Amino acid sequence: MFELVKINDSLISGFYDIRTNYPHRLEDFFKSLENDQFKARAWIADEFNRCVKDKKTRSANIIGSGFAFYDDLLIRTMNLDLITYYEYDPEVIQVNWKLFKHLRHKIIIDQQCMDIIHDRKFIRLAADVVINLSCECMFDSKILVHKAWDKDTIFCMLGSNSFKKGNINVHSNIDEFIESTALKDILYSGELRLRDEMKYLVIGKK
């Protein structure tokens, strides 16, 4: 029960920050809390655990998460620690710091505001897992996977969707998306229908 109180406090802190300092982002914030967002995170975490049987603690680089309240599910289910978030939006970084309040006393979370392509010499290269669930908003994943991280990265979790409006890198099916990742060892690939869009997920190794 006490843990739920702390989680709720984090959400309230994030909401208060949005309402006070970034009211123009309220719609984006509320969309990040929709049930479909939770379903997608649960699906992703479950598929990772099916692919990777051991429960060892893993470090992670997480790219372009947006408002990340539901990342709590990924972090707990996948047993992540020593996490670095790479986000280009400084407002998202400020709000997420409040949303992570209940986690920060347990695990190490860092946030970096940068363009991970142009500023890749400044990123933390070594991590057990690289997670990018917003590939539709970025260059082809092969650029991120093969240029931004070194060979010590063990797993890559890459997600995208079929929603075209406002996105620059949309794929019409899972096979197209797999090809765009250039991953050599695919552990899982699949789709999840959520209302008017299809979510794609690929888990693999470089």
Side-chain angles (χ1 to χ4, degrees):
M1 179 64 72
F2 183 62
E3 184 64 25
L4 290 176
V5 171
K6 291 190 288 185
I7 293 172
N8 188 58
D9 181 58
S10 296
L11 181 57
I12 291 171
S13 296
F15 173 69
Y16 182 80
D17 196 25
I18 280 274
R19 190 184 64 178
T20 304
N21 299 312
Y22 315 110
H24 57 287
R25 303 300 299 273
L26 275 170
E27 183 177 356
D28 293 337
F29 182 70
F30 289 142
K31 284 182 178 179
S32 76
L33 299 175
E34 290 179 349
N35 191 44
D36 280 354
Q37 297 296 328
F38 182 84
K39 288 180 181 178
R41 290 297 192 276
W43 169 55
I44 291 161
D46 287 345
E47 295 302 342
F48 180 84
N49 282 347
R50 288 192 181 97
C51 294
V52 183
K53 302 299 184 183
D54 68 83
K55 301 301 181 182
K56 65 180 286 188
T57 301
R58 290 184 168 84
S59 59
N61 288 329
I62 301 179
I63 310 164
S65 65
F67 296 119
F69 180 69
Y70 287 148
D71 276 16
D72 173 279
L73 182 60
L74 290 181
I75 291 168
R76 292 172 187 269
T77 306
M78 295 172 59
N79 201 24
L80 301 180
D81 197 352
L82 193 58
I83 303 166
T84 302
Y85 277 85
Y86 295 93
E87 175 61 60
Y88 194 63
D89 188 333
E91 296 175 355
V92 167
I93 285 179
Q94 292 298 320
V95 174
N96 278 349
W97 196 242
K98 306 291 193 309
L99 297 176
F100 297 149
K101 186 165 66 170
H102 65 289
L103 293 169
R104 297 197 318 257
H105 70 286
K106 298 179 179 179
I107 62 175
I108 298 173
I109 297 179
D110 184 28
Q111 297 189 103
Q112 299 292 327
C113 187
M114 65 172 65
D115 184 316
I116 58 171
I117 298 298
H118 297 296
D119 301 326
R120 62 180 178 267
K121 64 181 179 180
F122 300 110
I123 68 175
R124 185 190 72 184
L125 291 177
D128 297 322
V129 189
V130 169
I131 302 172
N132 180 4
L133 304 179
S134 304
C135 293
E136 70 276 3
C137 304
M138 305 178 190
F139 293 105
D140 269 355
S141 300
K142 67 185 75 170
I143 299 175
L144 302 177
V145 170
H146 296 283
K147 292 188 177 181
W149 278 276
D150 64 10
K151 62 187 178 187
D152 293 329
T153 295
I154 300 175
F155 299 103
C156 293
M157 295 180 62
L158 304 174
S160 186
N161 63 54
S162 61
F163 192 68
K164 295 182 179 180
K165 186 177 180 180
N167 293 322
I168 63 171
N169 188 19
V170 178
H171 303 283
S172 59
N173 56 63
I174 186 64
D175 293 327
E176 282 187 8
F177 181 53
I178 292 171
E179 184 177 354
S180 77
T181 69
L183 290 174
K184 296 179 180 178
D185 185 3
I186 304 296
L187 303 176
Y188 171 83
S189 64
E191 301 173 328
L192 178 68
R193 167 67 68 180
L194 294 174
R195 288 189 289 188
D196 58 347
E197 66 176 305
M198 187 72 78
K199 291 280 189 182
Y200 307 130
L201 176 64
V202 176
I203 303 172
K205 300 180 180 181
K206 292 172 65 171

